[in-house]
Amino acid sequence: MAHAILSPSSAERWIHCPPSAVINAEAPQKDTVYTREGTLAHAVCELKGRRKFLALSTRSYNAELKKLKADALWQDEMDGYTDAWIEALEEIAGEYDVLPHVALEVRVDFSEYVPDGFGTADCLMIGEIAGVTTLNVIDFKYGKGVPVSAEENPQMMLYALGALLDYSQIYDIEAVRMTIVQPRIRSEPDGWGLDANTLLAWANVVVEPAARLAIHGGGEFQEGDWCRFCAIRGSCRARATANLAAAAMEFRLPPELSDSEVGEALALGQRLKTWLSDVEEYALGACLDGREIDGWKAVEGRSQRQWSDAGAAFEAAKAAGVPEEMLYERKPVTLAGLEKIMGKKPFAEALGGYVTTPPGKPTLVKADDRRPAITGHITAKDDFEEE
Ligand code: SF4
């Protein structure tokens, strides 16, 4: 698959830190098991989407699905997660006044604003919702590390911009909605919307000037959350300078920190922790490559004993007089495990009544987290309800 230097998936980074674009384009691309797993899951999503919306015959569907299932990276849970994608698409399509135009794995071109700017959107829908011509951009993410928000997400906004331009001869799109389906870590899709004129204003004011600098390696280095996927995140001088300057923050008197200073310290610590782990990863790689990092070396970490041949070991244990029933433990399958076995819908229908969700352990998160804040204080209302 061709990759543009200024790709939508790295837009957050090159918009904020334009010189990172050329640096990353020159770095070797890593093809990990996770990226290959994601590619396979996307292929399944596309296939299921074609069957649902583009009249793919059952015979072709079964034949193509069989091929995908033969991939070494196939896991049965992929079936359930890709079904969640189809459920999300059905729900979005159902919001339209009549069945919308649906396009899957569609190339979108925003080179009017970004040199060689193009990308592939997982799904686009266009039609009228309550009489307003609305574009929906829907993206599937198979990752289960960090939840990705649709709100002001530059990757999604660039897909939407490309679609807006590509379809401008056919549709007069007024409203744009963006949805991210990330079923492995979020039970509900995450959505956000804006009007088409606001999207175009963003393209003019933010995207186009950043792209003009980024394509030639110009502009200022600027560190931030977007460093997370940068090829030089562990060795970048601008990032190190910014983090070390932040670490030197001076707390003000009196002897105890104020609550607002505690907040600052937590945010700073989190930022330094992320940076330090990237520097460690970089240094370990350098040591393993045979380079010298002053004062550090790579060694073998702790390891746990394991059977070289579990079957033969158990036979030997039986021969040594250990009763067979003592060799195995019988454990109930977990709730999530049973849901995977049965599939989401049948599970909910048959067992939904037995599922409860107790309150989670109090956890400290950033103030912009979408979950409502909790407090240990009993309010007058709680007090009243308890009586
Ligand atoms: S690590 Fe450096 S080059 Fe990469 S995005 Fe951050 S500041 Fe820019």
Side-chain angles (χ1 to χ4, degrees):
M1 199 188 293
H3 276 288
I5 293 182
L6 304 181
S7 68
S9 60
S10 59
E12 191 187 14
R13 194 192 65 236
W14 61 255
I15 287 173
H16 287 102
C17 178
S20 69
V22 171
I23 292 171
N24 279 269
E26 287 166 357
Q29 300 293 320
K30 280 191 194 148
D31 187 19
T32 66
V33 68
Y34 302 110
T35 53
R36 293 203 305 276
E37 213 175 60
T39 306
L40 177 64
H42 271 83
V44 180
C45 283
E46 186 193 357
L47 179 66
K48 290 187 176 181
R50 278 165 54 212
R51 184 174 187 217
K52 183 79 215 167
F53 295 99
L54 306 181
L56 178 70
S57 73
T58 305
R59 199 166 156 199
S60 307
Y61 171 78
N62 288 337
E64 287 190 44
L65 188 61
K66 196 174 165 195
K67 271 191 220 155
L68 293 171
K69 284 188 173 181
D71 192 299
L73 290 173
W74 170 264
Q75 310 127 4
D76 287 340
E77 62 182 22
M78 218 175 249
D79 222 4
Y81 291 133
T82 49
D83 281 350
W85 162 250
I86 296 300
E87 280 165 26
L89 295 189
E90 282 176 321
E91 198 164 309
I92 294 169
E95 291 169 7
Y96 283 86
D97 301 345
V98 293
L99 192 67
H101 167 74
V102 178
L104 299 163
E105 286 293 316
V106 56
R107 183 179 157 117
V108 291
D109 185 326
F110 46 90
S111 55
E112 197 176 317
Y113 292 90
V114 174
D116 291 327
F118 69 90
T120 306
D122 293 337
C123 180
L124 301 177
M125 290 187 194
I126 310 175
E128 292 199 354
I129 298 180
V132 177
T133 309
T134 304
L135 161 72
N136 254 297
V137 181
I138 311 133
D139 196 48
F140 179 77
K141 300 220 178 282
Y142 198 59
K144 58 176 180 179
V146 181
V148 184
S149 165
E151 189 172 342
E152 294 188 8
N153 181 312
Q155 177 183 14
M156 300 295 285
M157 289 168 80
L158 283 181
Y159 289 148
L161 177 66
L164 201 64
L165 300 170
D166 290 343
Y167 285 90
S168 61
Q169 302 291 324
I170 313 170
Y171 296 100
D172 186 13
I173 294 167
E174 299 159 88
V176 178
R177 291 192 191 171
M178 289 162 266
T179 306
I180 293 179
V181 181
Q182 199 173 6
R184 290 173 94 188
I185 45 173
R186 236 201 304 242
S187 54
E188 291 301 319
D190 189 61
W192 185 67
L194 75 174
D195 64 68
N197 287 335
T198 308
L199 182 67
L200 290 170
W202 171 78
N204 276 307
V205 175
V206 176
V207 177
E208 203 271 336
R212 214 178 322 124
L213 292 169
I215 197 71
H216 300 297
E220 299 284 325
F221 286 94
Q222 197 191 336
E223 76 87 43
D225 286 349
W226 46 88
C227 295
R228 199 166 58 221
F229 298 114
C230 181
I232 63 162
R233 62 186 176 277
S235 57
C236 173
R237 186 171 300 281
R239 192 179 182 209
T241 306
N243 279 311
L244 292 172
M249 92 191 233
E250 279 180 25
F251 290 112
R252 297 164 287 279
L253 295 171
E256 268 198 277
L257 301 180
S258 69
D259 286 353
S260 113
E261 285 169 327
V262 169
E264 279 178 54
L266 284 168
L268 173 64
Q270 227 172 39
R271 169 178 168 173
L272 294 177
K273 200 158 94 181
T274 309
W275 173 56
L276 186 63
S277 101
D278 290 337
V279 176
E280 281 173 349
E281 189 188 322
Y282 168 80
L284 177 63
C287 289
L288 293 175
D289 277 351
R291 303 209 304 278
E292 279 204 17
I293 298 286
D294 240 15
W296 296 85
K297 64 181 178 183
V299 294
E300 275 192 11
R302 282 178 203 280
S303 173
Q304 277 196 336
R305 294 182 303 163
Q306 55 188 9
W307 299 121
S308 58
D309 181 339
F314 275 37
E315 286 308 317
K318 279 191 259 175
V322 181
E324 177 150 8
E325 57 274 20
M326 295 194 72
L327 290 172
Y328 299 94
E329 290 174 354
R330 188 159 173 247
K331 282 190 195 163
V333 65
T334 62
L335 188 153
L338 192 52
E339 189 180 41
K340 260 185 218 168
I341 294 168
M342 294 176 68
K344 250 184 157 183
K345 258 193 189 163
F347 176 88
E349 281 163 15
L351 305 174
Y354 299 105
V355 178
T356 61
T357 310
K361 190 175 157 212
T363 307
L364 193 63
V365 296
K366 288 200 167 160
D368 58 7
D369 189 285
R370 291 190 186 179
R371 285 167 287 182
I374 55 166
T375 140
H377 279 291
I378 304 230
T379 63
K381 185 171 167 272
D382 296 333
D383 209 17
F384 177 74
E385 279 171 359
E386 271 171 22
E387 278 170 13

